[in-house]
Amino acid sequence: MKPRILVTNDDGIYSEGLRKLADALRSVGDVVIVAPDREQSAASHALTLNRPLRLLELAPDEWIVDGTPTDCVNLAVLSVLKTRRPDVVVSGINFGPNLGDDVTYSGTISAAFEGALLSIPSIAFSALVGPGFSFDRCAEFAARATAYILAGDRNPQVVLNVNFPVGEFAGVRITRLGKRVYSEGVIERLDPRGKKYYWIGGEPPLWHPGEGTDFAAVESGFVSITPLHLDLTHHESIPKLKILEETLDHAPKTR
Ligand code: MN
């Protein structure tokens, strides 16, 4: 039996990145698309719990959800595909990078994390955009990477975050997350009625230089692959915080 591939994204069902990705993946397995009905970039790991969600089949094996990327993976795995779970969750290809500290905002990566939470190997693809950029080149690579994941015995807790450089690929680098330089990223303006409004993230972000980072890889023309996991525990702090445990444990009790 051919592997079943769930394809989703945060740019919405009509984005070129999702279409090219799904087409390329048809050589690897049976593709089912469940994607947001509109753009949900920077939706992060939001799950919709305060209103009903609608699921609509646009075409065979192609569904839209009026929710977030996380909603899509949930509905796909627990409803649309519940009789036969997907073998892999593939998210993207995002129009724009998801590097370094920005991964926490990313709907593209959160969809892959949702796959990981449901114990399905998951991979996220994002592309830097500029002169010489091609979704076709990225999609061809994405199909090969997905075939590799399907062939191996992958730990579903580890999500692969793939970022493509703008032009031809110089090669592939396994990387760690880089660090963003935070600057004045909010633009303040007045609307036609004289009321202030704000626009977050005007200028493209700057990054601290660092060897082995995702940012350094894509900047030198390499495809970056960063293994990510959802365990946010800072393990080194556990022994150091024992003192806090004892201090608070033995504090006089208030009655
Ligand atoms: Mn996006």
Side-chain angles (χ1 to χ4, degrees), residues 157-173:
Q157 307 306 313
V158 179
V159 164
L160 296 184
N161 180 37
V162 181
N163 279 275
F164 296 109
V166 176
E168 297 281 348
F169 305 155
V172 180
R173 291 278 184 269

Side-chain angles (χ1 to χ4, degrees), residues 12 31 37 43 51 55 59 68 81-82 89 100 110 138 140 145 156 227 231-232 252 255:
V31 172
D37 64 356
R51 63 173 176 86
L55 187 61
T68 66
L81 305 176
K82 71 174 172 207
V89 174
S110 292
C138 301
E140 188 271 332
D231 180 359
L232 295 178
R255 284 171 193 274

